[in-house]
Amino acid sequence: MSPEHTVPSRIETERLVLRRWEPEKDVDSYHALLVTSAEHLRPWMPWARDEPLTRAEHLDWLRQCVRWAAEGTKGYLAMHSRDDGRLLGSVGLHPAREVEIREIGYWLAPQHQGRGYVTEAVEALTRVAFEDPRVRRVEILTMPENAAAIAVARRAGFRHRGITHDTHAEVPMDLWILEA
Ligand SMILES: CC(C)(COP(=O)(O)OP(=O)(O)OC[C@H]1O[C@@H](n2cnc3c(N)ncnc32)[C@H](O)[C@@H]1OP(=O)(O)O)[C@@H](O)C(=O)NCCC(=O)NCCS
C-alpha cells in the first residue's frame, strides 16, 4: 500500500466531514478557531502552550499537514459540520511506531462540546483504520486528568491498557486501545 493511503483524504459521517486540510481555503477559519480555543486547549495539548500563533504560522502548519499526509507520516484532518460547513476542530489518524498500529488524536472548540461530535469522529476513524488489513490496533493517549478526552475513548469502545512513558509528552500518559 502506498504511503498516501495510510492517511484518509475524506470521511463523511452522519453529522461531520473529516477531510485533509486545504491551507489557503482553511487558514482563516483555522486561525479564528485557535484564537478562541487556545485557552481551552492549553492544559491538555502541549503544542497549545504557544497558541494562538499568527495567521502566517498557521498557514505554515496547515501546509506541513498536507506534506505529512502526502508522505503518509501524519494524518491531521479538519473536522467540519456537514450542516453548515463550520470548522469545529481537528482530528488525526496517524501511523504509529509499528505498521499494525494507528493513533487517533482530537480537539474540539469549546462552543461545540457536549454534542458527541468527537465520539462520532473517533468511531469513524477507527472503522477506517481497520479497513487497512495491516492494522491490528488503534490507540489513544490521554493525560491522566483529562476526563473529557477519557470519556471519548471509553464511549468509542477503547479500553485502558496502562500508563506509558513512551511518548513525546513530558508526563506519563494513559494508553487506550481498541483491537481488531
Ligand atoms: C476532549 C474533547 C474533544 C471532548 O469533547 P466532548 O464534547 O466532551 O466530546 P464529544 O464531542 O464526543 O461529546 C460528548 C458529550 O456530548 C454528549 N452527547 C450528546 N449527544 C451525543 C451523541 N449523539 N453521541 C455521543 N455523545 C453525545 C455526551 O453525553 C457528552 O457529554 P458529557 O461530557 O456532558 O457527558 C474536548 O473536551 C476538547 O477538545 N478538549 C481539549 C483538547 C483535548 O483534551 N483533546 C484530547 C487530547 S487526548
Side-chain angles (χ1 to χ4, degrees):
M1 194 173 287
S2 58
E4 65 268 23
H5 291 121
T6 314
V7 172
S9 48
R10 185 183 177 92
I11 301 171
E12 290 195 20
T13 69
E14 196 185 332
R15 296 179 296 168
L16 304 170
V17 176
L18 314 176
R19 64 151 170 83
R20 289 192 192 178
W21 290 102
E22 297 174 32
E24 281 70 21
K25 181 173 161 187
D26 295 332
V27 64
D28 288 324
S29 54
Y30 182 74
H31 181 62
L33 207 64
L34 258 312
V35 167
T36 54
S37 303
E39 200 178 321
H40 155 73
L41 302 177
R42 212 168 282 132
W44 311 118
M45 318 290 279
W47 54 264
R49 270 189 224 149
D50 303 323
E51 293 285 356
L53 302 178
T54 65
R55 182 187 182 282
E57 288 168 322
H58 282 146
L59 184 58
D60 284 347
W61 166 255
L62 296 180
R63 286 177 173 154
Q64 180 63 57
C65 291
V66 170
R67 285 193 289 274
W68 279 328
E71 293 163 2
T73 46
K74 288 276 177 198
Y76 292 103
L77 301 174
M79 176 166 55
H80 286 96
S81 155
R82 266 179 81 159
D83 251 6
D84 56 13
R86 258 187 318 178
L87 182 65
L88 306 173
S90 174
V91 293
L93 179 61
H94 309 296
R97 60 198 177 280
E98 291 167 36
V99 73
E100 63 263 32
I101 304 176
R102 295 281 188 274
E103 182 183 332
I104 289 177
Y106 40 85
W107 66 264
L108 186 67
Q111 65 271 29
H112 301 304
Q113 288 188 116
R115 295 183 182 85
Y117 289 139
V118 171
T119 302
E120 186 171 317
V122 169
E123 288 171 348
L125 291 167
T126 306
R127 273 196 303 277
V128 167
F130 286 132
E131 282 169 11
D132 182 335
R134 300 171 300 181
V135 174
R136 310 302 309 154
R137 187 209 273 196
V138 180
E139 297 184 348
I140 295 173
L141 291 166
T142 61
M143 281 173 68
E145 311 80 20
N146 194 349
I150 290 168
V152 169
R154 285 217 170 95
R155 265 194 300 272
F158 285 63
R159 68 181 169 83
H160 190 236
R161 179 60 198 274
I163 306 283
T164 178
H165 296 258
D166 185 21
T167 71
H168 297 299
E170 289 156 16
V171 294
M173 302 283 279
D174 276 300
L175 173 64
W176 301 84
I177 66 165
L178 192 65
E179 284 170 316

